[in-house]
Structure formats: structure tokens, C-alpha cells
Amino acid sequence: MSRRLAVCVAHPDDETFQVYGTVALHRDDPGFRLAVLHATDGDAGQIAPGVDVGPEGLGAHRRREDELAWAAVGYVPDRHDWLGYPDGELSRAPFGEVVAHVARLLDDERPDVVCTFGPHGMTGHPDHITIGRATDTAFHAVRRDGGPGLRRLLHAGFAETYFRKHQAWLHEQGLPQWEPDRLYHLRGTPDEHIGVKVPTRKVADRVFAGIQQHRSQMHVLFAHPVDDTVFTAGNSRETHVVAWPPRAVGTPVLTDVFEGLDDG
């Protein structure tokens, strides 16, 4: 069976909690292929203390961090497209142009599964929301044209139950909690909307190793110091909404992004 995955996101590091675990789990599978698209270089991001790079060099620096992160996860993308839009301004780009870039990748690669952001972008970030909409639009346009692949569209999201547990843990530690109504703050997704829960504990070391390569953004990825033990205890799965095909109420939750695609 082919296992072709495409990940379409806005910034380097957006894919960390979305698919690092899935890629680590499938990296040795025959037929596995990974295509990644970043709409921006993340050149307008904040810079973590101790990282020796200035604003003018941040975009190139974050590209390199992303490359090192994939190597740490254990699988370097077979194709990696960088669109080069200005960080923070993707919503101002011609939408049809962004869709065309994504559609070109999807049509070339014909991935079985496509992963992107859903309507709230996990943090409300306009770049996240825009690349998610563009990917959805491109996915359906290419799918309707016929041909192989494009069998499942996923929107990454934190299940509300997990989100609340994380909020409670932050409170217990005396740390600031996320405010879901604020821009750039994490928000949960209703549990009933989650259609995929991938257990990733057995590859948590690779996931954490990949995340650690994004040194310039560690203060954003983790608002508090985290070691591998804390990470493994609190981040043992990846969760997604199945945006397509439509998921009937009561459908069993999948445990792998490729589950059920062996036939047909």
C-alpha cells in the first residue's frame, strides 16, 4: 500500500505537533512518501533568548531549523516547497495564487492523506487560517479532477478533553493558561469532532528531538521549561478532524492517518 502524506502549513514548526509522530511511525514503511509545503519562512517571528540571529536572518535560520528537525525525527521530506510569502501577511496574498501553489503540489504528488489547519487555525493565526482554507480549496479542486490519491483531508486540532487537562496542569504549576478567545492562543476542538487519534508515545523521543531543533521558537512552542519526561507524559498522541470524506456520527475514531485506506 502507498502511504503518501502531504502537510501544508504556514510557518516552520507548524508541523511539530501535527505530524512528527506520524512520520516517525511510518518512516520505514515501503511506499511512504512525504511532501511538505510552507507558505512562509516565519521571518517575522519572535526570537528566543540565547539564539544568535537577527530579524533579517530569521527566515533562513528557521528554514535550517526545520531541515534539522526533520532529520531528528528520522525522515527528510521527499519534496519540500517554500512559497516565501511574508510571515504574518498571508491573508493579504491573492487567495487564488496561494490555492494554485498548493494545487500544484497536490496534483504532482497525489498524496493519499493531506493534513493542514482547520477553520480556527488552532491559535486563530490568520496565516494558519489562510493556508488551511487554501489547502481545502485546492484539495477538492484536484480531487474532483479525478486521478489517484487525495483520499483523506485532515485538520489538526487539540481535543477539548486534552486541552482542559493541559490547562489544569498549567494552573497547578502556577503557569499562565491559554486564553482561547485571544489571538495566537491555543484553543481546543470538541472531542466529538476528532476523528483520528494517533498514539505516538513509542516515538516520543523522535518527536521531542525534532521539536528541540526549532531553537529560535522554543519559547513559543513551550511557554515553560519542558524535559523529555514531561513531554512524553503530556504529549502522547496526535489528533485530527476528518474534514473529508464526511464522517458519520458514531464512526469509530481512527488510530492512524492511513487507517482504512488499504482497500478501495
Side-chain angles (χ1 to χ4, degrees):
M1 170 192 170
S2 73
R3 287 181 168 85
R4 295 166 296 175
L5 175 66
V7 184
C8 300
V9 290
H11 317 98
D13 77 22
D14 282 346
E15 67 269 39
T16 53
F17 296 106
Q18 290 195 29
V19 296
Y20 274 2
T22 287
V23 171
L25 288 167
H26 288 285
R27 67 193 184 96
D28 294 323
D29 289 359
F32 181 67
R33 181 175 173 84
L34 174 65
V36 177
L37 179 147
H38 282 99
T40 85
D41 298 342
D43 55 290
Q46 301 176 37
I47 303 173
V51 176
D52 186 18
V53 64
E56 69 287 346
L58 183 58
H61 186 85
R62 291 188 68 181
R63 281 198 188 200
R64 179 59 178 158
E65 287 182 334
D66 200 75
E67 293 168 357
L68 293 171
W70 283 117
V73 169
Y75 194 96
V76 175
D78 299 282
R79 173 173 175 172
H80 201 156
D81 288 5
W82 294 90
L83 302 188
Y85 287 103
D87 182 9
E89 299 182 22
L90 188 60
S91 62
R92 301 179 184 178
F95 185 69
E97 180 181 278
V98 181
V99 171
H101 283 300
V102 178
R104 187 174 302 113
L105 178 139
L106 299 184
D107 199 25
D108 288 348
E109 294 292 321
R110 312 302 303 193
D112 299 294
V113 176
V114 177
C115 183
T116 189
F117 288 107
H120 63 45
M122 295 180 74
T123 63
H125 196 307
D127 286 357
H128 293 186
I129 294 169
T130 301
I131 193 61
R133 283 202 308 123
T135 301
D136 287 0
T137 302
F139 177 92
H140 291 297
V142 176
R143 177 183 63 81
R144 284 193 294 265
D145 282 345
L150 292 102
R151 304 174 67 188
R152 181 172 290 154
L153 174 64
L154 302 179
H155 290 163
F158 288 113
E160 185 67 32
T161 297
Y162 165 75
F163 181 75
R164 290 178 181 175
K165 288 180 179 178
H166 184 58
Q167 291 281 70
W169 183 85
L170 291 172
H171 178 71
E172 291 169 3
Q173 302 299 313
L175 297 167
Q177 293 176 273
W178 297 106
E179 299 178 42
D181 293 332
R182 289 186 59 186
L183 189 61
Y184 308 137
H185 277 237
L186 282 175
R187 52 213 67 191
T189 297
D191 286 53
E192 61 269 23
H193 294 173
I194 298 294
V196 183
K197 295 181 181 179
V198 183
T200 58
R201 191 180 298 277
K202 69 180 181 180
V203 293
D205 57 336
R206 290 191 174 275
V207 176
F208 192 55
I211 291 173
Q212 287 181 301
Q213 296 303 316
H214 295 280
R215 300 186 191 284
S216 70
Q217 303 303 303
M218 286 298 287
H219 63 308
V220 177
L221 292 169
F222 297 112
H224 48 83
V226 172
D227 60 24
D228 55 351
T229 302
V230 172
F231 178 83
T232 302
N235 294 272
S236 59
R237 65 182 59 84
E238 291 170 350
T239 51
H240 305 270
V241 174
V242 179
W244 196 90
R247 179 172 174 265
V249 176
T251 300
V253 174
L254 306 174
T255 58
D256 189 278
V257 300
F258 299 110
E259 184 178 347
L261 299 182
D262 300 70
D263 302 320

